[in-house]
Amino acid sequence: TGSQAVMVLAMVAFVHVIDSGLPQPPSSPPPTALAASTPYLPGGALFDNTLRLRNFTGYIDKNSDSPYGSLRIWLEWDSTGQVKIPYYLALIPVGPDGRAATEATLIDPFDQRYPTTCWLPDSRIIYQQVEVPLPHEASNGDWWVSVSMVDVRNGYQPPVIWPDGTQDQQIGIGPFKLK
């Protein structure tokens, strides 16, 4: 019993100074340039009962590096808790003619510098900018984007709850137009 007491005292005295060697998680997202000329539209969808898409804006950019142009989107997020999975965004653009991309564009939020597991409920709005290549030539009219989150390790997609309470695997945002 005496040796156990000495061991407990040694652990209490020294364990707090032992470091895991892992880097500390980031406390805030990297800075993002906000969309200045395009008004934000209300979102409200709740992903995995935790991450809320508050607002969004964007436009179609025909002069991007992508062969058909790209969709530039700014997203405003907040968090009501902490997710346990580092989700990626899965974005599928849909043209004015109803044709959708055959594959989703997967985007790791902030290029692994601020994963969704670090989005904590601290009243801070998380601003994110993404670029989605278009599947075919950009044309006039309303473009939409299907947005979902996915665990790229196993393909799991958390539920999305729309502002009216309906549940789905994705939410459609838009419309986006040529700039």
Side-chain angles (χ1 to χ4, degrees), residues 68-103:
Y68 300 120
S70 64
L71 178 55
R72 295 188 187 277
I73 305 174
W74 287 263
L75 305 166
E76 285 185 6
W77 298 93
D78 68 13
S79 178
T80 61
Q82 184 175 19
V83 295
K84 295 176 175 65
I85 299 170
Y87 292 116
Y88 279 49
L89 284 177
L91 302 134
I92 301 175
V94 180
D97 57 2
R99 288 190 299 163
T102 55
E103 292 183 11

Side-chain angles (χ1 to χ4, degrees), residues 160-174:
V160 180
I161 301 172
W162 294 48
D164 67 1
T166 0
Q167 188 170 318
D168 203 339
Q169 293 297 313
Q170 61 85 38
I171 186 168
I173 61 172

Side-chain angles (χ1 to χ4, degrees), residues 75-138:
L75 305 166
E76 285 185 6
W77 298 93
D78 68 13
S79 178
T80 61
Q82 184 175 19
V83 295
K84 295 176 175 65
I85 299 170
Y87 292 116
Y88 279 49
L89 284 177
L91 302 134
I92 301 175
V94 180
D97 57 2
R99 288 190 299 163
T102 55
E103 292 183 11
T105 299
L106 292 177
I107 297 176
D108 180 9
F110 303 104
D111 298 321
Q112 297 181 348
R113 292 176 294 166
Y114 193 64
T116 55
T117 53
C118 293
W119 298 10
L120 302 176
D122 58 3
S123 303
R124 183 177 307 153
I125 297 174
I126 300 160
Y127 296 98
Q128 179 184 19
Q129 181 184 359
V130 296
E131 184 174 342
V132 182
L134 297 179
H136 49 82
E137 188 67 37

Side-chain angles (χ1 to χ4, degrees), residues 12 33 52 116 171 177:
V12 169
R52 183 177 313 282
T116 55
I171 186 168
K177 299 185 183 295

Side-chain angles (χ1 to χ4, degrees), residues 17-86:
V17 298
I18 298 174
D19 191 12
S20 70
L22 297 172
Q24 289 295 324
S27 60
S28 64
T32 299
L34 301 179
S37 62
T38 311
Y40 278 80
L41 300 170
L46 188 63
F47 293 79
D48 200 14
N49 292 315
T50 306
L51 306 175
R52 183 177 313 282
L53 176 60
R54 294 169 46 102
N55 300 300
F56 63 91
T57 190
Y59 61 88
I60 303 297
D61 182 3
K62 285 180 90 170
N63 300 320
S64 73
D65 295 336
S66 188
Y68 300 120
S70 64
L71 178 55
R72 295 188 187 277
I73 305 174
W74 287 263
L75 305 166
E76 285 185 6
W77 298 93
D78 68 13
S79 178
T80 61
Q82 184 175 19
V83 295
K84 295 176 175 65
I85 299 170

